[in-house]
Amino acid sequence: MNTHMAVGAGDDDLMVHVGTDGVEQALALGARRATMGARTMGGVVLVAGADLPDAAALVAWVVPAVERARVRPAKRPAGP
């Protein structure tokens, strides 16, 4: 969204960009920290598919992530 990641999916998890300021709240809601190898991804959490029983649960994670990405300025294109 607007050149920023909001959500993604992998295996049985929803990957949600909550920002570094949103990680603790997301963890309290049942998410877990996202890792890539041994590295923890800052501001990104994983929500188990089993914790998304219906569309309302999915929307509760997706809409704030999309809104967060939407208000950020677009990244400048890389390259020469």
Side-chain angles (χ1 to χ4, degrees), residues 48-73:
D51 292 334
L52 300 168
D54 54 33
L58 181 63
V59 166
W61 288 99
V62 172
V63 169
V66 169
E67 289 303 317
R68 178 181 193 83
R70 183 177 290 156
V71 299
R72 296 182 68 197

Side-chain angles (χ1 to χ4, degrees), residues 25-70:
Q25 180 181 2
L27 296 176
L29 294 172
R32 66 187 191 283
R33 294 182 189 275
T35 59
M36 184 174 273
R39 185 175 85 83
T40 299
M41 298 174 66
V44 179
V45 297
L46 298 174
V47 181
D51 292 334
L52 300 168
D54 54 33
L58 181 63
V59 166
W61 288 99
V62 172
V63 169
V66 169
E67 289 303 317
R68 178 181 193 83
R70 183 177 290 156

